[in-house]
Amino acid sequence: MELPDPPTAFFATNNRAAIGILQALRTRRERPAFVGFDDFALADVFDPGVSVVRYDTALLGRTAVDLLLDGGPARMVRVPVELVVRGSGELPVTTSESASRRGRG
């Protein structure tokens, strides 16, 4: 955040990283967009709430065990995810950005 051109958004790939980002941002006036991967307790208590990509941990565990016990060749399995929007992942559009998007910038 101290860079001349600081980041405008963060994506945490796990809960530990999400907590670290929240701790680092708690005293900052600037509020970059922030989305975590995997929901966590109290994510909806923050102001704004923390937007997350949520998945079914039980399904992920069952799928991993099934693949392990199957003993077949490696394969890709997709587990469905859901974006839970709570307000931390959106950035306000500035006037210059808005004009650029309309082709006037």
Side-chain angles (χ1 to χ4, degrees), residues 80-101:
V81 296
E82 169 190 13
L83 177 62
V84 181
V85 177
R86 294 187 179 121
S88 69
E90 300 77 22
L91 285 176
V93 177
T94 64
T95 305
S96 61
E97 289 176 29
S98 180
S100 293
R101 290 182 184 170

Side-chain angles (χ1 to χ4, degrees), residues 22-42:
L22 289 170
Q23 288 173 329
L25 294 177
R26 72 177 167 207
T27 59
R28 309 289 305 193
R29 262 192 9 212
E30 310 88 20
R31 284 293 174 192
F34 172 55
V35 175
F37 187 79
D38 193 11
D39 211 352
F40 61 95
L42 304 178

Side-chain angles (χ1 to χ4, degrees), residues 8 10 18 27-28 36 39 42-44 51-53 56 58 69 75 91 93:
T8 59
F10 291 94
T27 59
R28 309 289 305 193
D39 211 352
L42 304 178
D44 59 340
S51 297
V52 297
V53 175
D56 183 339
L69 296 176
R75 65 179 194 261
L91 285 176
V93 177

